[in-house]
Amino acid sequence: MDENSTLSPAHTDATASSSATTPPVPSVPPALAPFAGLWRGEGEGAYPTIDDFAYTEEIEFAPSGKPFLAYRSRTWEAGTGRPLHSESGYLRLVAEDEAELLVAQPTGFTEIHRGQIREGIIELSMVALSASPDAKPVHSIRRQLSVRGGDLTYDLWMAHDLTPLTHHLHGHLRRD
């Protein structure tokens, strides 16, 4: 390469970069800070219409520099590593102690939940659930997130087809 050529930012080598070109670490709103980070762990699922199951999971709440965290969750079948589920969205601060979780699922659902943040716990209530014409008949979802030290736990309840709102998932993850 001659001295007149330029490299795009994606093609610069590590030795050419300096701390002057490294973007600053985005700040996180204090109420959301306990949730920020990469979490890995296990979960179990149960529902009246399916067999119980176990899974491994990775959840990331990534700082954005704005009053929200980008959210991503991926799960794999315990033992085999077969991909099971993924979803993504945002955990955003809508008031000093109130958060909104926006979730999109590749199964054809979008969810909007809101809840108060109290002592590292967000009890989320569903505001809206939308489904594509081909999605399964899910009628309601409720979520709870809790951070205690280096542990993230969550629970999810779901109403599906003729089954009323029933506990479906519990996950326990540790900060990576």
Side-chain angles (χ1 to χ4, degrees):
M1 179 178 307
D2 68 42
E3 64 188 38
N4 294 324
S5 66
T6 59
L7 294 174
S8 71
H11 293 96
T12 59
D13 66 20
T15 59
S17 66
S18 72
S19 61
T21 61
T22 303
V25 175
S27 63
V28 176
L32 297 181
F35 299 91
L38 180 61
W39 306 83
R40 289 191 171 108
E42 299 79 34
E44 53 274 340
Y47 206 70
T49 58
I50 61 174
D51 292 335
D52 293 358
F53 59 97
Y55 57 93
T56 60
E57 183 167 20
E58 178 181 278
I59 292 177
E60 183 175 25
F61 288 105
S64 66
K66 302 275 187 172
F68 60 83
L69 299 170
Y71 164 70
R72 178 181 55 92
S73 168
R74 298 183 303 164
T75 64
W76 299 268
E77 186 175 54
T80 69
R82 179 177 63 91
L84 293 177
H85 179 75
S86 65
E87 56 188 39
S88 60
Y90 301 94
L91 179 62
R92 57 187 219 117
L93 200 57
V94 294
E96 185 176 324
D97 63 350
E98 185 177 9
E100 185 172 76
L101 178 66
L102 301 104
V103 178
Q105 298 185 27
T107 54
F109 291 99
T110 59
E111 309 167 38
I112 301 174
H113 302 269
R114 277 198 172 188
Q116 296 294 307
I117 305 170
R118 293 197 174 104
E119 299 177 8
I121 299 172
I122 310 174
E123 286 279 346
L124 294 157
S125 298
M126 192 176 73
V127 173
L129 175 67
S130 295
S132 73
D134 299 323
K136 293 180 181 179
V138 174
H139 307 294
S140 182
I141 296 174
R142 183 167 70 89
R143 295 174 183 249
Q144 176 184 319
L145 300 169
S146 174
V147 173
R148 294 277 186 256
D151 292 335
L152 169 71
T153 58
Y154 70 85
D155 287 280
L156 183 141
W157 294 260
M158 177 176 70
H160 173 268
D161 199 19
L162 301 176
T163 305
L165 198 62
T166 302
H167 189 262
H168 178 41
L169 303 172
H170 173 77
H172 181 204
L173 300 91
R174 287 156 299 285
R175 192 180 306 275
D176 196 37

